[in-house]
Amino acid sequence: MLQAFANEVWVPEPVAKEILQRGAQDITAKTIEYTAWLDIRPAPPLPQHVLEWRLGPGESSVVALAATQPGTEVIIDDLAGRKCAASLNIPLRGTLGIVLLAKRRGLIPQARPVIESMMSAGLYLSRRVLDNALRRAAE
């Protein structure tokens, strides 16, 4: 789905490293390793205002990389990471937002199976967030 939303999709090295540590059988690790259009980028130095949020290495690198490229939209699910990006006026969307947009654009017929598949692969969503998303998707 990501390729339908952007000409380029960057993955900071710390994010790729976190994902690859899941092992060769993990679907996300396979995607990182074998998808040519995902551009793994070195993480820039972390600005002080990002360091102050005390985010994990992945979230920090996503925000720092986007901060070097004004107008770049980030995909980030971590609440603190989202707040940090928002504080820097970095456009953002979560994984769930990508799925809902894909349904709205007709790229997928239903959001529920995609979301449930992501949840079974490790995406955590509270029941309230899931119900709200499915309501927004008219499911």
Side-chain angles (χ1 to χ4, degrees):
M1 278 187 273
L2 289 178
Q3 198 172 21
F5 297 109
N7 294 329
E8 296 180 86
V9 178
W10 301 343
V11 179
E13 284 178 342
V15 173
K17 183 178 176 183
E18 282 180 29
I19 291 169
L20 291 171
Q21 287 178 347
R22 297 178 186 172
Q25 298 307 311
D26 181 81
I27 190 165
T28 311
K30 287 179 187 176
T31 301
I32 289 286
E33 197 164 351
Y34 298 111
T35 303
W37 52 264
L38 289 175
D39 186 1
I40 298 175
R41 297 274 176 115
L46 299 178
Q48 184 61 36
H49 54 271
V50 174
L51 286 169
E52 290 169 1
W53 282 88
R54 297 179 184 210
L55 305 173
E59 290 84 4
S60 294
S61 65
V62 167
V63 173
L65 184 58
T68 68
Q69 302 291 320
T72 299
E73 182 178 61
V74 298
I75 300 169
I76 194 164
D77 292 322
D78 176 79
L79 182 59
R82 293 173 67 86
K83 287 180 179 182
C84 178
S87 77
L88 297 170
N89 297 314
I90 295 172
L92 64 104
R93 186 180 312 270
T95 303
L96 197 51
I98 293 290
V99 174
L100 297 177
L101 185 56
K103 180 178 180 195
R104 209 171 317 134
R105 290 187 179 177
L107 299 172
I108 57 173
Q110 290 187 305
R112 179 183 297 274
V114 175
I115 294 168
E116 288 175 352
S117 174
M118 293 171 129
M119 289 175 72
S120 68
L123 177 68
Y124 171 77
L125 293 175
S126 70
R127 175 50 66 188
R128 181 183 59 80
V129 170
L130 177 61
D131 291 344
N132 184 35
L134 293 174
R135 196 171 24 262
R136 288 178 21 212
E139 291 183 29

